[in-house]
Amino acid sequence: MSERTATTRTIYLDHAATTALDRRVLDTMIPYFTTEYGNASSIYTLGRHAMQAIDSSREQVAEILHCRPTEIAFVGCGSESDNLAIKGMAFASQKKGNHIITSPIEHHAVLHTCQYLERFGFKTTYLPVDEYARINPDDVARAITDQTVLVSVMYANNEVGTIEPIAEIGRICRARKIPFHVDAVQAGGALPIDVAALNVDMLSLSAHKFYGPKGMGILYVRQGMRILPQLQGGSQERGRRAGTENVAGIVGTAAALQLAQEELTEVTPRIQALRDRLIAGILQIPNSRLTGHPTERLPNNASFCFEGVEGESILLNLDLLGVAASTGSACTSGSVDPSHVLIAMGFPPEWSHGSLRLTLGKENTEEDVETIISALPGIIEKLRNLGI
Ligand SMILES: *Cc1c(COP(=O)(O)O)cnc(C)c1O
């Protein structure tokens, strides 16, 4: 993609892919890179300081998620959190059964993990989703068998922003005594997360999706749930994840989660207003559609399909204007395959190839939004005329 000159500001509209580290979060982390560098397993003062920082970060996270500190494990990223929850529960439950229920719109960290487990004799049922990517909780109830050992459904979709009925699905799983895992990575900076109210048994978060450091994830595991560790070695994180703790990362993760959740009531209405303006403006383009649920959607997600256009071509043209956006998930851009999410929602190829995801963040302005709204119609028209 083209080089930006120093004077042109990037209009960053890809907050579902990652976010910039908040300066205030960075400030909390720096001492643990420089002066407080002890290994948290060491018994001398420097080590104990590191352990105290980890302990208080764990308490901070537990308070926000409404759970016990012992139910929180810090891991290496959102993908690792999903892997540990799903493989950890599947391998711990092999004597009980071999059936996993998930949805076809999950992140690849969930989908590829379920596929991997099929090599070990596990079977996966993919729940149906409607045209808005919503799951019907009744379908979860219908899919459960006497072999089911895990249900995994995401809180909010990373491509189209649809929010799933997690509390209702959780209620069904709880009644049938089936462990329920939720990939809440996209919700961490956008929705309140109360593991008790959501009726979940395991929940995954990733710090870099809410202005925290990259390479840090959280896994909540409800007390009484047994999972097998997927990384062998020392007994860090109560034996759930070996490896010397990333103290700076852990401190930054807790600080970022706290800031993100505290600022929800102030930030959300502003971002949502920008999103609604974006949606209204962009839907003026002929043969365009909003993807995802019209109301049950993340406050920062504006995603679309344009008939007869290639999403990649839209991105390259936006990049020339200094706009960073996505066709859907960052993991699939670069490949010409249409998104698995849009396919599951029933979009035909002539629509699903032309997807565009704009995800707002707290630094975006009305001017950013107006720039997109005035530039996009010309880009789409040009590409349609060129037939790309
Ligand atoms: C980004 C993302 C992940 C992966 O998190 P990483 O920290 O990047 O590994 C998992 N699930 C969803 C829904 C995501 O958006």
Side-chain angles (χ1 to χ4, degrees):
M1 301 217 172
S2 68
E3 291 295 318
R4 305 300 315 155
T5 59
T7 50
T8 325
R9 194 174 70 87
T10 298
I11 300 180
Y12 187 74
L13 288 170
D14 204 13
H15 292 82
T18 195
T19 57
L21 187 70
D22 189 304
R23 293 269 167 195
R24 295 167 294 176
V25 173
L26 178 63
D27 289 341
T28 67
M29 296 172 69
I30 286 173
Y32 298 96
F33 288 117
T34 51
T35 51
E36 298 287 355
Y37 52 81
N39 185 319
S41 302
S42 307
I43 59 163
Y44 41 78
T45 306
L46 204 57
R48 288 202 310 274
H49 280 182
M51 189 48 96
Q52 281 156 9
I54 295 172
D55 286 345
S56 57
S57 300
R58 204 184 305 280
E59 282 163 20
Q60 210 178 340
V61 170
E63 197 170 319
I64 296 164
L65 303 188
H66 296 95
C67 65
R68 300 180 179 91
T70 51
E71 295 172 313
I72 296 296
F74 291 108
V75 299
C77 58
S79 300
E80 185 187 330
S81 180
D82 285 334
N83 270 261
L84 176 56
I86 296 169
K87 288 182 203 162
M89 181 54 72
F91 287 129
S93 315
Q94 266 176 315
K95 289 204 183 80
K96 285 187 216 143
N98 68 345
H99 180 228
I100 297 170
I101 298 170
T102 188
S103 85
I105 60 157
E106 299 297 311
H107 190 273
H108 284 137
V110 169
L111 290 177
H112 289 168
T113 301
C114 292
Q115 282 166 25
Y116 170 81
L117 284 169
E118 288 172 12
R119 291 194 224 167
F120 298 88
F122 287 92
K123 301 206 165 19
T124 314
T125 294
Y126 298 93
L127 298 162
V129 298
D130 68 12
E131 62 188 305
Y132 302 121
R134 278 275 281 194
I135 290 159
N136 180 347
D138 294 341
D139 286 321
V140 179
R142 276 190 282 271
I144 293 173
T145 73
D146 60 359
Q147 288 294 306
T148 308
V149 293
L150 177 67
V151 174
S152 181
V153 172
M154 70 201 322
Y155 196 170
N157 182 265
N158 48 304
E159 293 189 28
V160 299
T162 299
I163 298 169
E164 300 298 342
I166 293 305
E168 289 93 289
I169 297 172
R171 205 170 4 249
I172 290 165
C173 293
R174 192 65 55 89
R176 305 281 291 268
K177 296 193 166 60
I178 310 290
F180 180 35
H181 166 249
V182 171
D183 175 337
V185 171
Q186 287 294 330
L191 302 173
I193 299 180
D194 178 335
V195 293
L198 290 172
N199 304 319
V200 305
D201 299 308
M202 297 188 284
L203 182 134
S204 298
L205 292 168
S206 172
H208 76 98
K209 303 287 176 85
F210 48 79
Y211 309 95
K214 290 177 179 58
M216 274 308 303
I218 293 172
L219 178 61
Y220 157 76
V221 185
R222 193 160 74 90
Q223 187 167 302
M225 292 281 140
R226 201 173 73 85
I227 59 168
L228 286 184
Q230 298 302 307
L231 200 54
Q232 274 64 45
S235 58
Q236 289 92 350
E237 298 301 300
R238 309 182 98 237
R240 288 171 297 207
R241 198 229 188 218
T244 300
E245 298 89 341
N246 177 354
V247 186
I250 289 170
V251 168
T253 297
L257 184 64
Q258 172 137 22
L259 282 172
Q261 290 284 325
E262 272 172 10
E263 292 179 347
L264 276 188
T265 48
E266 178 224 316
V267 171
T268 306
R270 194 166 54 78
I271 288 188
Q272 197 160 316
L274 293 178
R275 178 202 68 183
D276 291 344
R277 171 76 188 113
L278 254 184
I279 292 175
I282 289 177
L283 289 181
Q284 298 299 312
I285 297 172
N287 297 323
S288 62
R289 275 182 64 177
L290 180 73
T291 56
H293 200 280
T295 53
E296 292 298 309
R297 65 186 300 130
L298 289 171
N300 73 333
N301 177 297
S303 51
F304 308 91
C305 273
F306 304 96
E307 192 186 17
V309 193
E310 280 298 331
E312 296 279 301
S313 311
I314 306 173
L315 291 194
L316 292 171
N317 278 271
L318 285 175
D319 184 49
L320 293 174
L321 299 174
V323 178
S326 165
T327 55
S329 79
C331 316
T332 47
S333 66
S335 77
V336 288
D337 295 339
S339 127
H340 65 282
V341 176
L342 295 176
I343 291 174
M345 293 162 72
F347 276 86
E350 60 275 21
W351 281 88
S352 58
H353 280 282
S355 66
L356 175 67
R357 178 186 73 181
L358 304 172
T359 45
L360 294 146
K362 56 186 179 183
E363 74 280 9
N364 286 124
T365 62
E366 280 175 35
E367 202 190 328
D368 294 346
V369 167
E370 295 310 323
T371 303
I372 309 295
I373 292 173
S374 53
L376 202 55
I379 292 174
I380 301 291
E381 195 189 319
K382 181 181 86 179
L383 294 174
R384 281 186 176 143
N385 289 339
L386 291 168
I388 45 174

